[in-house]
């Protein structure tokens, strides 16, 4: 009986691996079509719980699940973002990272991370109000490098700026002069972000 259960488990693993392989092929084909069509693709990356899905919903008017919990977004979600006449980009929401993300977990999230491979810009969202925001920025950049996207240009955006005090904002602005400050909840700084993305 134990042997039959083990054989069933191995069979199930093989079946899942085959499905994942087909999914990767389909996604690779979609990426190729986007590249041939000249679609500019960007991915929102960031530590878990920084508001990536909230920002995607605000920018694109989509209804992506947005929850105050770890790994609320596991499936990659891509939406079109219109920046003006004849100017459009594809914006992808990705899984939230955590510090010291185990290699096994990176492998498990491969499906969502695969969607980032065609990105020409990483919109790195950070929580301006978090006491360890600098540590989180470093952790995200390390994971981005680990998955082979360290050379992709990054736009650092501090979300939840409405919750950060003036001194914190000043320190972050000094440390990251190219960074933008926004609030995906009340819309602060969104026009500036759209202008930068348009550029």
């Amino acid at each position: 009986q134990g042997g039959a259960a083990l054989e069933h488990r191995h069979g199930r693993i093989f079946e899942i691996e085959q499905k994942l392989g087909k999914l990767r092929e389909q996604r690779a084909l979609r990426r190729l079509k986007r590249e041939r069509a000249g679609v500019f693709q960007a991915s929102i990356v960031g530590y878990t719980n920084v508001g990536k899905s909230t920002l995607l919903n605000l920018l694109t008017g989509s209804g992506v699940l947005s929850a105050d919990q770890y790994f609320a977004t596991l499936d990659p979600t891509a939406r079109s973002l219109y920046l003006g006449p004849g100017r459009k980009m594809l914006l992808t929401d990705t899984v939230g990272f955590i510090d010291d993300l185990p290699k096994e977990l990176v492998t498990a999230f491969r499906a969502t991370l695969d969607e980032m491979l065609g990105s020409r810009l990483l919109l790195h969202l950070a929580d301006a109000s978090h006491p360890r925001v600098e540590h989180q920025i470093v952790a995200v950049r390390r994971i981005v490098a680990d998955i082979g996207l360290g050379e992709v240009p990054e736009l650092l955006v501090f979300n939840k700026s409405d919750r950060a005090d003036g001194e914190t904002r000043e320190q972050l602005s000094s440390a990251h002069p190219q960074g933008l400050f926004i609030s995906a909840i009340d819309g602060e700084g969104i026009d500036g972000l759209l202008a930068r993305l348009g550029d």
Side-chain angles (χ1 to χ4, degrees):
Q1 192 175 4
L6 187 61
E7 188 177 328
H8 174 73
R9 190 175 304 135
H10 284 302
R12 187 83 180 105
I13 290 169
F14 178 73
E15 184 184 330
I16 290 169
E17 285 175 346
Q18 279 192 317
K19 286 181 180 177
L20 284 173
K22 286 178 184 174
L23 195 57
R24 286 191 193 104
E25 287 174 12
Q26 290 168 358
R27 287 188 172 141
L29 189 60
R30 278 206 306 265
R31 279 197 306 274
L32 187 61
K33 285 180 180 176
R34 288 173 197 156
E35 287 167 16
R36 286 179 177 163
V39 176
F40 187 97
Q41 183 178 338
S43 292
I44 306 174
V45 299
Y47 212 80
T48 191
N49 234 7
V50 295
K52 295 183 302 302
S53 297
T54 302
L55 180 61
L56 183 71
N57 288 338
L58 178 66
L59 294 178
T60 66
S62 59
V64 178
L65 171 65
S66 172
D68 186 16
Q69 63 190 49
Y70 289 154
F71 309 130
T73 303
L74 290 177
D75 291 324
T77 304
R79 296 287 183 265
S80 290
L81 172 60
Y82 293 90
L83 296 164
R87 294 172 22 175
K88 182 175 79 170
M89 69 188 297
L90 192 68
L91 196 56
T92 303
D93 186 17
T94 61
V95 65
F97 298 146
I98 58 169
D99 196 22
D100 298 324
L101 190 66
K103 295 285 185 190
E104 301 78 27
L105 214 48
V106 172
T107 304
F109 292 156
R110 192 80 249 175
T112 186
L113 299 178
D114 277 351
E115 281 297 300
M116 296 168 61
L117 295 180
S119 295
R120 292 161 65 188
L121 173 71
L122 298 180
L123 202 164
H124 181 170
L125 202 62
D127 182 349
S129 68
H130 198 284
R132 301 186 73 215
V133 60
E134 292 287 3
H135 178 82
Q136 292 181 351
I137 289 170
V138 170
V140 169
R141 286 176 173 164
R142 186 170 57 244
I143 293 167
V144 164
D146 284 348
I147 60 177
L149 294 171
E151 300 301 312
V152 178
E154 173 198 87
L155 174 58
L156 182 61
V157 179
F158 290 99
N159 189 29
K160 305 185 184 182
S161 59
D162 53 312
R163 298 184 189 175
D165 59 50
E167 185 182 347
T168 299
R169 285 180 66 143
E170 196 173 306
Q171 288 171 349
L172 291 172
S173 186
S174 177
H176 307 279
Q178 298 298 315
L180 297 177
F181 289 84
I182 69 162
S183 170
I185 292 295
D186 65 19
E188 176 198 343
I190 296 300
D191 287 345
L193 172 59
L194 289 170
R196 184 76 71 87
L197 289 173
D199 291 340

